[in-house]
Amino acid sequence: MISIEEAQQTIFEYISPLETERVSAFQGLNRVTPENHIAPWDIPPADNSAMDGYAFSHAAIKGDRLRVTGFLPAGEKRDLPVPPGEAVKIMTGAPVPPGCDTVAPIEDVEQLDEWIRFTSPPKAGAHIRKRGEDIRLGDIVIPAGSTLRPQEIGMLSAMGVTTLAVHRRARVGVLATGDELLEPGSTPAPGKIVNSNSYSLAAQVLDAGGDPVLLGIAPDSLDATCEKIRGGLNADLLVITGGVSVGDRDFVKSAIEHLGGEVTFWKVNMKPGKPLAFAMLHGKPVFALPGNPVAAMVSFELFVRPAILKAMGRRRILRPKVRASLLEPAANKGKRPHLVRGLVSKGDSGYAVSLTGNQSSGRLSSLIQGNGLVYLAPDAVHAAGDVVDVLLLDREFEMGEVS
Ligand code: AMP
Ligand code: MG
């Protein structure tokens, strides 16, 4: 049995970034650019006024007033120099005309017909945004490999970009297995349960920025499982749940092998989620996750989500890990590392975490009540107040709340 870290390393070695596609600039949000974006011009393109006010030559001020002989709104440019001792009214963003080096905001003058009087003495060079103070022609403004946030999109647009190349979204096939499964919409008959994994996993795919492809439910037979898997191979990655353990009706591993796949590993030293196979099948990574709803989601978090992010060009692919102080005692009586669902909060002295009760791997409520995975080493015995490692699955708890 290999460790979580070994399993992650093995998987990531098989994942390379998908090809790129062109999208309109703002649709590049949260995607990764494969190229350097170089400034085609200075931004701002010219010295311009940072305020609505009056532009003039500071050296030419005599006394406390200036005659106003022109008006310059944003969007217009004046080539005619402003004579020394005169001012032009200028609006925010308008290029500072020749002959001027200072702007006095409207708030700092008294306006008297054709004159202004300074109510506070202007400082030389004040209220002018210099050409190129944001970016300069030729700068690498957004390096290859950057994830595009709204600010990068805005900057690219200011650089004249309308469409850009980004790594494609990963298409991820999601296949459930099991004769006991019914699709949501039906009331479970005796012996049956409703398929939830397909939808929690599809949502995890979406959450990672991927594009889920629902492949339905494979009945528990080798032929049916093979057929469903074959049908999913036009996706970029395939995620299967259930049927990967040692039960009489577990066919996923043999189906992958039957189709020519090479199973790289089959068991990971962790709880929940020990039975977990990773295979390459016809060049596509295939993740066979456990059927238990918590085990499926936790394994997805640790192995599939980072693989999707890597396929989409990301380099930072692992959830943040924080140190948190236990709010209650915690023990791991088992021989495998236990990823216990916890509820992390943030106080004045850092992160704290409580546990979400019964940790049965079938109990999806344990994930609903929590927002993190507490790492408990084999045989660990912790008292309240001990500090443990926690993977943060979401950080909404750190956001401000309104009533
Ligand atoms: P398996 O790994 O196929 O033996 O499944 C382990 C447990 O997970 C069983 O109790 C299944 O009923 C349950 N399970 C498997 N697949 C799903 C699914 N798609 N949705 C909800 N529960 C499932
Ligand atoms: Mg099953």
Side-chain angles (χ1 to χ4, degrees):
M1 235 183 333
I2 61 175
S3 71
I4 294 172
E5 291 74 21
E6 284 166 333
Q8 286 176 326
Q9 273 315 312
T10 306
I11 291 168
F12 301 158
E13 275 163 27
Y14 283 97
I15 311 287
S16 30
L18 293 165
E19 66 276 28
T20 60
E21 61 178 355
R22 289 198 82 79
V23 297
S24 61
F26 73 91
Q27 299 288 4
L29 183 69
N30 293 332
R31 311 278 289 276
V32 175
T33 171
E35 49 197 25
N36 288 332
H37 289 274
I38 295 171
W41 44 63
D42 290 333
I43 297 179
D47 291 1
N48 68 93
S49 179
M51 301 290 280
D52 295 327
Y54 294 87
F56 47 85
S57 158
H58 191 268
I61 304 174
K62 293 204 181 67
D64 66 352
R65 57 191 67 201
L66 287 174
R67 212 157 80 88
V68 181
T69 57
F71 176 61
L72 200 49
E76 278 180 28
K77 171 171 177 285
R78 168 172 164 149
D79 294 322
L80 192 68
V82 176
E86 292 182 13
V88 292
K89 192 167 197 184
I90 190 167
M91 299 294 100
T92 305
V96 175
C100 298
D101 60 7
T102 302
V103 168
I106 282 177
E107 296 84 340
D108 290 354
V109 305
E110 193 183 333
Q111 304 176 76
L112 319 146
D113 294 331
E114 282 165 30
W115 294 79
I116 49 168
R117 190 179 73 78
F118 298 112
T119 52
S120 74
K123 271 205 222 80
H127 304 297
I128 290 179
R129 301 188 286 222
K130 301 301 278 182
R131 169 177 183 161
E133 75 172 27
D134 193 356
I135 59 172
R136 290 205 161 275
L137 167 76
D139 283 353
I140 297 176
V141 183
I142 295 164
S146 304
T147 301
L148 304 177
R149 300 168 299 169
Q151 49 271 51
E152 277 82 19
I153 305 285
M155 182 62 87
L156 286 163
S157 304
M159 286 158 56
V161 169
T162 55
T163 66
L164 47 87
V166 286
H167 287 286
R168 197 160 72 62
R169 292 175 72 194
R171 296 184 74 234
V172 183
V174 177
L175 176 63
T177 67
D179 285 335
E180 75 278 32
L181 299 178
L182 300 171
E183 286 294 14
S186 35
T187 310
K192 307 283 183 186
I193 59 165
V194 179
N195 170 21
S196 59
N197 289 357
S198 289
Y199 306 97
S200 49
L201 294 169
Q204 285 180 297
V205 171
L206 280 177
D207 191 43
D211 183 12
V213 182
L214 287 165
L215 300 170
I217 299 168
D220 287 323
S221 79
L222 182 60
D223 282 354
T225 307
C226 285
E227 196 187 312
K228 282 286 194 186
I229 292 176
R230 219 182 278 117
L233 283 177
N234 53 6
D236 301 307
L237 286 81
L238 191 55
V239 178
I240 308 169
T241 73
V244 72
S245 196
V246 292
D248 295 354
R249 292 285 175 87
D250 289 337
F251 291 108
V252 169
K253 189 165 159 278
S254 41
I256 292 169
E257 283 162 345
H258 189 81
L259 292 168
E262 205 178 306
V263 175
T264 310
F265 59 80
W266 179 37
K267 283 180 179 172
V268 180
N269 189 22
M270 60 185 275
K271 185 184 164 185
K274 177 175 77 172
L276 185 150
F278 176 72
M280 291 300 288
L281 176 56
H282 300 186
K284 304 288 170 73
V286 179
F287 298 82
L289 310 184
N292 277 308
V294 175
M297 289 194 71
V298 169
S299 319
F300 185 102
E301 270 297 332
L302 295 180
F303 306 110
V304 189
R305 178 186 162 90
I308 293 174
L309 292 175
K310 186 165 184 218
M312 292 177 59
R314 300 278 191 106
R315 286 193 276 245
R316 291 182 179 272
I317 59 176
L318 300 174
R319 292 283 198 193
K321 193 194 278 181
V322 299
R323 305 273 291 154
S325 160
L326 277 166
L327 292 167
E328 60 190 280
N332 177 5
K333 297 199 184 85
K335 295 285 174 223
R336 287 180 275 150
H338 195 174
L339 293 158
V340 176
R341 278 70 74 202
L343 180 64
V344 183
S345 53
K346 201 170 182 187
D348 292 340
S349 51
Y351 293 105
V353 64
S354 58
L355 309 182
T356 61
N358 179 339
Q359 296 288 317
S360 155
S361 68
R363 215 183 138 251
L364 208 45
S365 320
S366 69
L367 271 168
I368 289 180
Q369 288 150 8
N371 55 13
L373 297 175
V374 180
Y375 182 90
L376 296 182
D379 299 321
V381 180
H382 292 293
D386 282 3
V387 173
V388 288
D389 282 334
V390 187
L391 274 186
L392 294 182
L393 301 182
D394 73 67
R395 308 196 78 139
E396 203 183 354
F397 69 96
E398 291 181 299
M399 295 174 74
E401 201 172 3
V402 289
S403 49

